[in-house]
Amino acid sequence: MLNADRAAEIAKLLAVSTKSIERWTKDIRAREKEAQKEHAWDLWLDCKTEQQIADAIQVHQTTVGEWIKEKRQLPEFLSPPESRQHFDVWQFATADNDAGIPSYFGKLPPQIIENLLWLYTEPGQVVIDPFAGGGTVIDIAKRMGRRVWASDRCPATPTLPIHAHDITTGWPSSAPTKANFIFLDPPYWKQSAGRYSSDPADLGNMSLDNFLAAWQKTIRTCAAHIAPDGLIAFIVSPAEDTDSNRVVDLALLMYRLSEEQGLRCRRRVIALYNTQQANGQQVTWARTNKKLLKLYRDIVVLDRNG
């Protein structure tokens, strides 16, 4: 960045006036300032404090505060997403491919995150994602002007601000102490067995009892860290337990454990898979054996009971 001292130094070397240097570098300095503003905004969305941002980009904290205030007032953060839903059954023709790692197993359609954040958060509020996976929530939250802090047991990529942390062990010390919205997208038990790792501590590789015990720890931790008017949302699908010839309603079991933490259901949404989840052979098998194939996930939004 060209400051007054540097401008004077260059002017002396070139034997011209400082005003000439300032005139010649006007456009460059304007671009540098805009780049600084964007960097400051990005750091703020990563839940850095104004002082941390000021130290990082070497400007005064007051200046950082002014830049952030200006950015938060942009109308784009107050407009509903094009994918906006109006009913409690959500379906999208195709999943957008403009957020997160496209090939990540279990990647949610970005439109699901867009609608949850539009309905239940405001620009500038803090969103926590402890099962960050491929980073879809990070990209969507920032795009919508929400601050976001994300973690995962095994971060998928070093290019995203995903902290290494297992939420079943407690609240991460480096995360904001309170969140306006916590989004939980855990492995869907047997449906994801072995897909993320072979570690027995992976929720997808546990017995049902251990999975629910881990969920109980997770929801207890998260309930203690939502703001007074904060919300928690989790998404999960029924799990096929072929060994016992049954379907396990994970959403119901997980909700019951959430109630024990003083939470209640604000809204339940059925999110249909955006593409067919079975091939022709599987459809034929289902017809022959009088079986039903799964086509949806449950989204449960929780708030404090009283």
Side-chain angles (χ1 to χ4, degrees), residues 128 130-131 167 171 179 182 184 217-227 232 263 304:
I128 302 291
F131 296 98
I167 190 61
W171 194 254
I182 300 176
L184 302 171
K217 293 177 183 177
T218 298
I219 199 67
R220 180 189 300 123
T221 294
C222 293
H225 288 275
I226 53 173
I232 299 173
L263 301 171
R304 294 184 185 280

Side-chain angles (χ1 to χ4, degrees), residues 91-92 96 98 145 150 181 210:
Q91 184 175 27
F92 313 100
D96 287 344
D98 59 351
F181 188 79
N210 287 343

Side-chain angles (χ1 to χ4, degrees), residues 3-4 7-9 11-12 16-25:
N3 55 31
E9 181 182 350
K12 184 176 180 181
V16 297
S17 68
T18 301
K19 288 188 177 295
S20 294
I21 298 298
E22 291 175 348
R23 186 174 65 255
W24 295 341
T25 61

Side-chain angles (χ1 to χ4, degrees), residues 18 52 64 82 92 111 123-124 131 137 139 150 175 185 208 217 225 232 241 248 273 279 283 304:
T18 301
Q52 288 173 325
V64 171
E82 292 184 5
F92 313 100
Q111 297 100 312
F131 296 98
V137 173
D139 288 343
D185 181 16
L208 181 59
K217 293 177 183 177
H225 288 275
I232 299 173
D241 184 0
V248 178
Y273 284 104
N279 56 37
V283 172
R304 294 184 185 280

Side-chain angles (χ1 to χ4, degrees), residues 80-90 115 118-119:
E82 292 184 5
S83 65
R84 183 179 182 181
Q85 300 291 290
H86 301 284
F87 303 98
D88 58 4
V89 177
W90 294 357
N115 278 274
W118 170 253
L119 289 168

